[in-house]
Amino acid sequence: MLSLMKRPILVWDLPTRLFHWLLAAGVLGAFAIGNLVDDDQPAFAWHMLLGATAAFLVLLRIVWGLVGSRYARFGSFVFGPRAILDYFRGLLSKDTKSFVGHNPGSSVAIFAMLFLTVGAAVTGALMGSGGEALEELHEVFANALIIVAGAHVAGVLLHTLRHRENLTGSMIAGTKVGDEADAIRSSHPLVGLGFVALTAIWAVGLASGYDAQAGTVRLPLLGTTLAVGEGAEGEKRGGGEHERHGEHDEDDDD
Ligand code: HEM
Ligand code: HEM
């Protein structure tokens, strides 16, 4: 159908776009370092910093998913099983409906990625006090996350080729071609600014609360101190050697 009103309209607000690229960078960075750097190297601290910041981004995104602009709100991209099936069926034929916001296919991947990012970060953070099982679980979350993200990028590429619509460009510039009536009014630059500021406070706070010697980190805004790394079993820190060194018998006379 020909419409005279089709032209670039604003769809993704600034907080959503900032969230997207910061999350992608954080997750890919954490994954790369997790695989390439040994966890007793100082550089491994970047793994924890990036992973924990990615999870913080997701928490902010959840808030924005409840109160944000039209296409950022979860309500606009919670689809039923029927819509999701129809979408994937449509991928094979040519006649797919087009969606202004997230389509049913990508919405499944999006919710999975939000969940898996938080899962990876929580299991990563608890590993210091939890041992083997959490370490395994951490790897499961991390690998599942990268697989879903890979499928997500493949889906974006497929859509781009099939429908000749540059989705990646829209996640950068915020616009898609559509009807004026479907546009959001504002890209919410101030919220975007607040979003980056809070993320920076979190990341800087984490970095300055990190004590490599003790293997602990004090969480900003919460104030709790966590043991990080695989350290709790003690093998890394000399297995209590120096305590044994001038230890007396148990009969202290106090
Ligand atoms: C580097 C290559 C990537 C490209 C080109 C890309 C592109 C896109 C595009 C075009 C969308 C909008 C999809 C739609 O129209 O429904 C999107 C959404 C999304 N992507 Fe990616 N993406 C990439 C990597 C990642 C990675 C590594 C992650 C996470 C682990 C990720 C997580 C997400 C999430 C959570 C959304 C939803 C955004 C929101 O509503 O807040 N993406 N991506
Ligand atoms: C998006 C978030 C994260 C991703 C994708 C991720 C991914 C990974 C990967 C791929 C590994 C390597 C596993 C292996 O040895 O084969 C790893 C190890 C590790 N991660 Fe994460 N991680 C994330 C967040 C975190 C966080 C927030 C922490 C801690 C606060 C953490 C702590 C660790 C530790 C201690 C290891 C070493 C375990 C080992 O080598 O066996 N991770 N992570």
Side-chain angles (χ1 to χ4, degrees), residues 9 13-14 21 31 37 43 98 120 133 138-139 182 192 220 235 240 254:
I9 55 165
D13 56 38
L14 199 57
W21 297 112
F31 190 78
V37 178
S98 85
H138 185 63
E139 282 176 37
D182 290 331
E235 340 110 338
D254 52 359

Side-chain angles (χ1 to χ4, degrees), residues 51 54-56 58-59 62 112-124 141 145:
F56 184 74
V58 172
L59 296 188
I62 289 173
M113 289 188 283
L114 301 184
F115 171 75
L116 293 169
T117 302
V118 174
V122 169
T123 50
F141 273 114
L145 175 56

Side-chain angles (χ1 to χ4, degrees), residues 4-109:
L4 298 173
M5 304 296 284
K6 297 273 186 205
R7 56 170 123 151
I9 55 165
L10 188 62
V11 174
W12 306 123
D13 56 38
L14 199 57
T16 303
R17 285 177 271 154
L18 287 167
F19 162 75
H20 180 267
W21 297 112
L22 290 173
L23 178 76
V27 164
L28 295 177
F31 190 78
I33 296 173
N35 280 302
L36 299 174
V37 178
D38 205 77
D39 64 343
D40 53 16
Q41 298 281 303
F44 198 78
W46 286 98
H47 172 78
M48 302 189 267
L49 182 63
L50 289 173
T53 301
F56 184 74
L57 288 167
V58 172
L59 296 188
L60 294 181
R61 178 66 182 87
I62 289 173
V63 175
W64 196 236
L66 300 175
V67 302
S69 67
R70 182 158 166 201
Y71 304 107
R73 271 204 306 274
F74 297 136
S76 79
F77 61 104
V78 176
F79 295 96
R82 159 138 241 142
I84 294 166
L85 276 178
D86 281 352
Y87 176 80
F88 282 110
R89 227 176 272 135
L91 269 185
L92 303 175
S93 66
K94 267 273 181 192
D95 61 344
T96 22
K97 234 169 99 186
S98 85
F99 291 82
V100 186
H102 294 301
N103 68 52
S106 66
S107 68
V108 183

